Amino acid sequence: METDAWNAVIWTGISRDANYFGRFARDMKFCDDAHLCSAVSFCMAPYLSLSMYESLQKVRQIKPDILAAFNQETITISTRSRHSLKLFEDTKRGIDGQISYFRDEVFTAHAERFLGNTWIPWARRFEADLGLYRYGGRLITTTHAATFHLGFDPNRLLAQNPGPYIRSIFEEYGAYFGALGASLEDDGEPTFVRSLHSTAMNEARDVRSKGYYRRVFNGQNTPEINAILTTFRAMLNFAELVVASEINRQRLDYTAFKIGYLSLYQVLRSVRLLVDDADYPLSARSEQIASRLLDSPSVQLLTGSGGRKFRNMMVHYNLPSRPDVDKVDLSKFLYGLIPVYFPGFDDAAFVELVRDCGAFTAAAFDEWAEGS
């Protein structure tokens, strides 16, 4: 019985994600704004990679040779993209490793591609190596953030005409999710894409990253930290402003909720790690805003022990190590387990808590970024 419940939760979660991604791809066909489509695709990429990577771990238990069906580069890219969502909790990189990656890989690749291309010396001041994308006036991604989350080698991604190469990778993603049940012909509920308005997508703004990163968040002495915090900001705004904009807000999809919760959880946990590490001193203003966030009762609840277990279930598709199988109800949105992880909450109350906390945190990041 325990094994049955364990497996049922795993495959229900995988099926829900695959179904959602099929409907997402279906709805993207109706997106008639190229800039909006591109921004949304960049933002969604790591969540597709997360599902692909984690579900493959389960499929391999049944079909050990499954990886042979993929180009090795696709596996490498999807793995790197999936791990980008760990942010500062990535044990292989940590804070220092993420700083080094932005400085040595992302910054360098963009500068080499976009700066120094004009032979007119005075015109070089107008060259830009960072693109900012806003929806409804709020930042939802940047070209640096997209490079970080896509998982591609930055130089290969920024090469001339990378379209066919990128397409070949994501065609393998599509084939995999199709094998799990995703379909462009799915007539199920619309995803958030149908709720978006092209008029809300602000014209992309190109800036010089060196100057931009010295004006935001923690100030001029920590450009790499500021670049990563900008990535956090974009994740929060995408989840809160875009993904949660679904037409039927009374019926939030499992996967849409998962994107919002995981983005919120990982950003908040990463802020905690940054604040607690004396090697990366923050300004008095940064410490004040970060403390206000981390001291919030809702943040403490969502990132506490129950939050960690719930995060692990959502990420890895597993029940806890000692599941209370009598409480598993697959007909419920979150398997009936919310009271187990968060006593005193039912699904509706918990969803509202996450929404409120997400909005509060995203607003705090906007304030933190722009008011330095």
Side-chain angles (χ1 to χ4, degrees):
M1 178 64 179
E2 182 174 311
T3 300
D4 291 343
W6 182 285
N7 288 333
V9 167
I10 289 173
W11 295 108
T12 298
I14 291 173
S15 177
R16 285 176 173 179
D17 281 346
N19 175 271
Y20 184 86
F21 294 141
R23 290 183 286 120
F24 166 76
R26 174 203 67 192
D27 292 347
M28 284 290 284
K29 294 191 301 180
F30 297 95
C31 180
D32 57 2
D33 184 291
H35 293 296
L36 179 58
C37 290
S38 294
V40 168
S41 297
F42 289 154
C43 293
M44 282 292 288
Y47 304 103
L48 291 165
S49 298
L50 172 69
S51 180
M52 181 173 176
Y53 177 90
E54 294 295 341
S55 62
L56 271 172
Q57 309 312 306
K58 309 305 179 187
V59 174
R60 288 174 67 187
Q61 296 175 16
I62 302 170
K63 187 175 175 57
D65 62 344
I66 182 64
L67 295 186
F70 297 91
N71 184 304
Q72 181 55 48
E73 195 162 10
T74 300
I75 296 299
T76 299
I77 288 168
S78 63
T79 300
R80 195 157 49 216
S81 175
R82 176 267 176 273
H83 288 308
S84 76
L85 288 174
K86 293 181 178 181
L87 308 179
F88 288 154
E89 285 201 311
D90 186 337
T91 55
K92 291 186 177 180
R93 286 187 180 173
I95 299 175
D96 195 53
Q98 300 293 21
I99 288 174
S100 297
Y101 181 75
F102 269 81
R103 181 186 62 238
D104 301 335
E105 302 288 340
V106 178
F107 289 4
T108 300
H110 281 77
E112 290 178 351
R113 173 67 176 82
F114 298 110
L115 301 181
N117 293 321
T118 178
W119 60 272
I120 306 174
W122 62 263
R124 291 174 184 168
R125 75 181 71 175
F126 300 109
E127 291 182 314
D129 61 337
L130 174 65
L132 308 175
Y133 296 83
R134 287 183 167 86
Y135 184 83
R138 294 169 62 186
L139 190 75
I140 59 168
T141 192
T142 74
T143 50
H144 286 182
T147 300
F148 173 63
H149 282 309
L150 280 169
F152 289 75
D153 174 85
N155 290 300
R156 184 76 186 271
L157 182 66
L158 297 173
Q160 293 287 351
N161 190 30
Y165 167 64
I166 296 172
R167 192 177 306 113
S168 69
I169 299 298
F170 285 108
E171 283 175 353
E172 290 208 64
Y173 276 52
Y176 175 69
F177 285 119
L180 293 177
S183 172
L184 295 175
E185 307 304 319
D186 193 315
D187 60 359
E189 289 285 329
T191 64
F192 69 86
V193 177
R194 297 289 189 98
S195 301
L196 302 180
H197 302 284
S198 59
T199 55
M201 188 69 193
N202 304 99
E203 185 175 352
R205 178 187 171 202
D206 295 329
V207 299
R208 185 70 71 96
S209 64
K210 184 176 181 180
Y212 180 80
Y213 287 139
R214 292 185 184 279
R215 294 193 302 271
V216 297
F217 286 105
N218 199 50
Q220 62 179 353
N221 295 324
T222 57
E224 294 89 0
I225 291 274
N226 298 340
I228 299 171
L229 291 174
T230 298
T231 300
F232 294 0
R233 178 193 185 191
M235 289 173 63
L236 292 167
N237 282 341
F238 176 69
E240 195 265 327
L241 186 66
V242 177
V243 178
S245 69
E246 294 196 359
I247 294 171
N248 183 2
R249 284 183 62 87
Q250 299 305 311
R251 183 193 178 281
L252 184 63
D253 267 291
Y254 168 87
T255 306
F257 174 81
K258 177 177 177 176
I259 290 170
Y261 180 82
L262 293 180
S263 301
L264 180 61
Y265 179 90
Q266 293 299 160
V267 165
L268 290 170
R269 282 290 305 147
S270 296
V271 172
R272 168 55 69 191
L273 291 174
L274 181 63
V275 168
D276 289 346
D277 196 324
D279 289 337
Y280 308 98
L282 298 178
S283 68
R285 179 177 178 274
S286 291
E287 288 186 351
Q288 181 183 38
I289 294 175
S291 294
R292 189 175 77 214
L293 269 175
L294 298 174
D295 291 344
S296 163
S298 60
V299 168
Q300 292 185 359
L301 176 67
L302 292 176
T303 59
S305 60
R308 166 59 71 174
K309 294 175 183 177
F310 181 68
R311 175 263 183 202
N312 288 344
M313 182 188 75
M314 297 289 277
V315 166
H316 303 301
Y317 295 114
N318 288 337
L319 282 170
S321 57
R322 295 179 180 176
D324 187 343
V325 293
D326 294 333
K327 295 181 180 179
V328 173
D329 184 347
L330 296 179
S331 68
K332 291 188 176 181
F333 175 57
L334 296 167
Y335 311 125
L337 294 173
I338 289 303
V340 175
Y341 298 114
F342 305 97
F345 287 86
D346 59 15
D347 284 0
F350 184 68
V351 167
E352 194 61 31
L353 172 71
V354 173
R355 278 178 171 163
D356 290 346
C357 189
F360 163 70
T361 305
F365 262 76
D366 282 342
E367 175 194 350
W368 189 1
E370 300 294 349
S372 62

